[in-house]
Structure formats: C-alpha cells, structure tokens
Amino acid sequence: MTRNRKALIIDDEPDIRELLEITLGRMKLETRSACNLKEARECLARERYDLCLTDMRLPDGSGLELVQHIQQRYPELPVAMITAYGSLDTAIGALKAGAFDFLTKPVDLNRLRELVNSALRLPAPSRPGDEEPVGSRLLGEAPPMKVLRKQIGKLARSQAPVYISGESGTGKELVARLIHEQGPRAERAFVPVNCGAIPSELMESEFFGHKKGSFTGAIEDKPGLFQSANGGTLFLDEVADLPLAMQVKLLRVIQEKAVRAVGGHQEVVVDVRVLSATHKDLAAEVAAGRFRQDLYYRLNVIELNVPPLRDRREDIPLLAEAMLARLTSTAGLARLHPDALAKLQHYRFPGNVRELENMLERAYTLCEDDEIKASDLRLADTPAIAGGEEADLAQVSNLEDHLEDIERKLIMQALEETRWNRTAAAQRLGLSFRSMRYRLKKLGLD
C-alpha cells in the first residue's frame, strides 16, 4: 500500500499556514502544522515527512536553526525557507545551510507548486559506497575525488546555484551534468553555454531570445537559452568572460526569475537552476573590477572545486585505462608500456584530464603493435616551463620573449591538434574565443 505523502508547515501566522495547507492539500499531500521551533522538532520526531516548509522568523528562534537540525538528523528531507520579500541575503544563507530552495512573501502559489513538485521528484539519497552512476563517469579513487562525488550527491538534492571552480580540462561540465542528472530536474533540459564563445553583440538575443523583426536578420521569433532550459538547468561555462553590461542583465534575470526577449514587451517567467564555472579566479576578477560583486555572490552560493590531475596522480593509471578502452573499442586493445605510464605520472598536466585524453589519442595513432611507449607521448616536445620547476634560467635572456615563444608553441600545437579550428583550439587551451583572437594577433599568427 502506497504511503500518503506528508508535508510539515512551520509558520507563526495562522493565515499563511492555512493558505499553505489548502494549496498542498489540493496537491494530494497530507499536512501537519507547527507555529514554532519546539513544535516543529516534536512533529519531526513523531512522523516521517516528504517536504518541510518553514518561515525564517519564528517566535522561539530562526528557521535557519531548523534547517540545520534537519540537515543533521533528517538529511533526506528537503526543506524550503520562506523569507520576507527582498531578503536575498537571508535566502542565500538558508541555501548555504542546506535548504532545498526558498520562497518569498507574499507567497506566489505557482512558484510554490513548482517547488513542491521539484522536491517530490527528488531521488532517494545515495547510501555510503553507492556511487553509481557518478563513479562510472567521474573516475578516480584519490581522496579529493571521493569527496567530490559525495558533494555532487548532496548538491543534486538542492536548488542552490553552484559555482564550479577548477583549472581548464578538469571536467567542470561533467560535474555540472552529474548534479543535474541526479536531481529533480533530470527529466528536463541541461543547457550548456560557453560564455566566451558568444559575440557580445548577440549575447542578449542568445540568452533571452528575440522577436521577429527586432533587428536585422531576426526573420522569426527565437527562444533564448533561458527559455530552452526552463524547468531544467542552465550551465554557464567560462562565466568570467561575460561583458559587464551582460552581467547586469543576467543578475536581474536570476533575481526576478523572468526574461524579456529582445523586441518583446512582456516578461516571461522561467524556472531555471543556474550552475556556473570558469577556470579563472572569479574572486580576483571581482577585485579587479571585471566581474560584478553582486552577481558573484548570486552565482557563488555554494562553491565546488574540481581538483587538478596533478593533485590526484594515483588516478592516472585508472583514467588512462578507461580512455584507451574508449579509443580502441573498435580497433583492438592498446597497451601502455610501464615506462610510458611512469612518464605520465611525473608530468604536471597543465591541461588536466582533457590533456591526458588528447595525449593518449595522439600517442595511440603514432604507436606500433598497439603498445604506447614513452617516446609516443611526445612529452619532450612540451616546453620545460609547462612542467614547472624544470625551466633553465641560463637559457633565458629576455623573459617576455621567452614566454611569448612558449605561448606561440603551445598555441600552434593546439591549432594543429584541432586542425586549425580556432574555437576548438581556444577551448583546448582554456581560453575564450576573444582572448584567443587577441593572442593570435599579438603573436603574429592571425
């Protein structure tokens, strides 16, 4: 027999409790109510609930105390905070404490229904040792990777904006996809966008859509990325590359949860979870005035760091084996000579997992008898400074010229690997397209 789903409502205002009870009752949920923290704790001890809604201000304490209590004792229970209108800092505090989501007063009933439906779609929390499907796609047994998988599982059960930090090539988009796929939005769209690859003059149209005739070339209505991600997740990769003017518009959309298409006259409500990432130090970008502080705080509610490959060298054999298995699935099995593996484990990998994969793909193409030897890796071709401490000061007469020479060689290598596809080469190097274009011109490669 199926158990009726139950919701616990905590608010000291009888009118709000009644409104929430009626709305949730019409959604076929049983409800229990409490008017303070003491009653709420007693209710939680007596019965099992599928959802909890709590006001921020209660007669005997703060709703944050209840969020923390639930996180410690009932971590599988999604709890949403109800805050006063305009109390964005309070809402962010609740999300950081572990709240699933938040609502503002006066409560928008459509928003409430969306929140309830999302919470009820949450999958059962994973048990210790149960890492599938994350473990099969985010490989690694090093301690930082075990911590990362656990954090992904926890963040998937929240609607909080997550800022994914980490160097280029570490797998930030995969982390974002896993957060999406394990959460209540898994059946809806995951829309990734490289913010550095969109021309500035087209950004507003790409993000928010446009109406037919709104500008030259707008021959029909077009939905933007926010509309395409409605109900799902929008992943803003290389978010640090957004121009300041676009940052202002993005902040407003995130706060208002509504977009207006270019040439449109009405705003359209959107329900989108925003995940963002960049290989740059976003706090440093804020300090330098290149990124808005208010948008930084709105995106960086929770930060998730993806470790570089050099901090988990023990995972290199496992990663290499999996990559070679994918590469050779239709062409036989390739082996990695022990000397080649040793060389990989002593390399710094500035391009991280992506560089390892590209290196193995190139080496497999060059190797003989399906065995990759150390010489096939062509690591000697990489400038010594890329490996860290091995640069020889005696060889440097002018630092700027030396660095430009290294930069030119690495850009040429990336262009050759991508068959002179500049966009792909920029991604390979962790650069925005605009930055790549500037460097090509500066180095005389344009």
Side-chain angles (χ1 to χ4, degrees):
M1 184 175 177
T2 305
R3 181 180 68 86
N4 290 336
R5 292 189 164 186
K6 295 178 186 176
L8 177 60
I9 299 165
I10 305 104
D11 200 299
D12 61 337
E13 296 183 47
D15 290 348
I16 292 181
R17 287 202 306 271
E18 184 179 2
L19 173 65
L20 296 175
E21 287 169 355
I22 291 171
T23 305
L24 269 59
R26 287 174 176 166
M27 298 178 73
K28 309 300 182 187
L29 271 77
E30 287 186 26
T31 58
R32 303 286 186 271
S33 295
C35 63
N36 56 43
L37 281 176
K38 181 176 181 293
E39 287 186 10
R41 291 193 181 106
E42 290 171 353
C43 288
L44 288 165
R46 279 197 306 266
E47 294 183 90
R48 176 185 164 191
Y49 295 94
D50 300 280
L51 171 66
C52 177
L53 300 173
T54 180
D55 191 18
M56 179 63 192
R57 294 185 177 182
L58 296 169
D60 55 347
S62 162
L64 280 177
E65 294 177 52
L66 186 64
V67 171
Q68 292 161 351
H69 176 78
I70 288 172
Q71 278 291 297
Q72 292 168 2
R73 301 197 180 191
Y74 316 98
E76 75 286 351
L77 174 61
V79 52
M81 179 71 73
I82 303 172
T83 68
Y85 178 76
S87 302
L88 188 59
D89 289 344
T90 301
I92 289 175
L95 292 171
K96 286 185 174 179
F100 166 76
D101 208 342
F102 69 91
L103 292 165
T104 55
K105 292 182 179 179
V107 175
D108 182 313
L109 295 184
N110 287 328
R111 173 84 182 99
L112 171 63
R113 293 186 193 99
E114 288 174 358
L115 184 151
V116 170
N117 285 327
S118 289
L120 296 180
R121 285 197 302 268
L122 278 171
S126 59
R127 294 182 175 85
D130 179 15
E131 295 183 342
E132 294 294 334
V134 180
S136 63
R137 295 172 61 191
L138 194 64
L139 295 174
E141 293 303 317
M145 295 306 291
K146 291 181 178 179
V147 170
L148 179 60
R149 285 196 290 267
K150 186 176 180 181
Q151 291 173 324
I152 288 171
K154 184 175 181 180
L155 293 176
R157 297 182 60 79
S158 164
Q159 295 301 290
V162 179
Y163 165 57
I164 305 168
S165 61
E167 296 177 8
S168 179
T170 49
K172 296 186 291 295
E173 182 173 337
L174 174 58
V175 168
R177 284 185 183 276
L178 291 170
I179 291 173
H180 169 76
E181 290 171 6
Q182 291 186 78
R185 299 174 179 267
E187 301 300 317
R188 304 294 182 89
F190 175 85
V191 179
V193 53
N194 186 330
C195 298
I198 303 175
S200 56
E201 63 273 15
L202 296 178
M203 272 195 172
E204 191 172 355
S205 169
E206 287 293 315
F207 275 96
F208 312 135
H210 63 249
K211 293 294 183 181
K212 179 180 178 180
S214 56
F215 56 85
T216 304
I219 58 175
E220 60 183 1
D221 289 356
K222 178 188 173 185
L225 293 164
F226 271 90
Q227 293 97 316
S228 298
N230 192 27
T233 302
L234 181 63
F235 174 52
L236 303 175
D237 197 7
E238 299 304 345
V239 70
D241 291 330
L242 286 173
L244 285 168
M246 189 61 197
Q247 291 176 30
V248 176
K249 294 171 181 175
L250 179 62
L251 175 66
R252 186 180 184 282
V253 170
I254 292 173
Q255 289 178 335
E256 301 298 327
K257 298 181 184 293
V259 297
R260 178 183 295 171
V262 176
H265 301 292
Q266 291 184 326
E267 289 193 331
V268 177
V269 174
V270 287
D271 170 30
V272 174
R273 184 181 189 184
V274 175
L275 307 178
S276 59
T278 179
H279 73 283
K280 296 180 181 178
D281 183 339
L282 204 53
E285 294 295 301
V286 172
R290 292 187 291 267
F291 200 85
R292 290 182 62 96
Q293 188 175 53
D294 46 9
L295 179 58
Y296 170 73
Y297 287 126
R298 195 67 187 89
L299 294 174
N300 189 20
V301 172
I302 298 172
E303 182 172 351
L304 185 62
N305 182 257
V306 185
L309 187 53
R310 64 180 172 275
D311 286 353
R312 54 183 189 109
R313 294 181 188 276
E314 60 265 50
D315 288 335
I316 289 175
L318 177 65
L319 290 166
E321 182 182 356
M323 290 170 181
L324 287 175
R326 285 200 298 270
L327 282 171
T328 62
S329 59
T330 58
L333 295 175
R335 297 178 301 278
L336 197 60
H337 191 278
D339 289 348
L341 180 58
K343 198 158 189 177
L344 288 175
Q345 289 185 295
H346 285 88
Y347 180 60
R348 279 181 57 82
F349 283 104
N352 294 292
V353 177
R354 186 189 300 143
E355 183 179 10
L356 173 62
E357 189 163 24
N358 289 340
M359 189 182 294
L360 290 175
E361 186 172 0
R362 183 178 65 227
Y364 177 66
T365 304
L366 295 172
C367 77
E368 297 178 359
D369 301 322
D370 288 335
E371 182 175 58
I372 296 174
K373 299 180 178 65
S375 58
D376 297 322
L377 297 173
R378 292 176 58 188
L379 285 178
D381 296 340
T382 304
I385 199 168
E389 300 77 18
E390 299 171 11
D392 185 356
L393 187 60
Q395 298 176 2
V396 181
S397 57
N398 182 294
L399 181 61
E400 289 296 331
D401 290 345
H402 185 69
L403 292 176
E404 280 196 4
D405 186 50
I406 291 171
E407 187 176 9
R408 183 180 289 104
K409 287 178 181 177
L410 290 173
I411 288 176
M412 287 296 293
Q413 183 179 337
L415 288 167
E416 288 170 2
E417 286 183 8
T418 57
R419 298 181 182 179
W420 291 84
N421 182 320
R422 294 185 181 189
T423 301
Q427 291 176 342
R428 170 73 181 81
L429 294 166
L431 300 172
S432 70
F433 185 74
R434 287 194 296 276
S435 179
M436 181 69 164
R437 196 163 50 190
Y438 166 77
R439 289 166 191 265
L440 289 171
K441 187 174 182 179
K442 182 187 76 168
L443 297 169
L445 299 173
D446 198 9

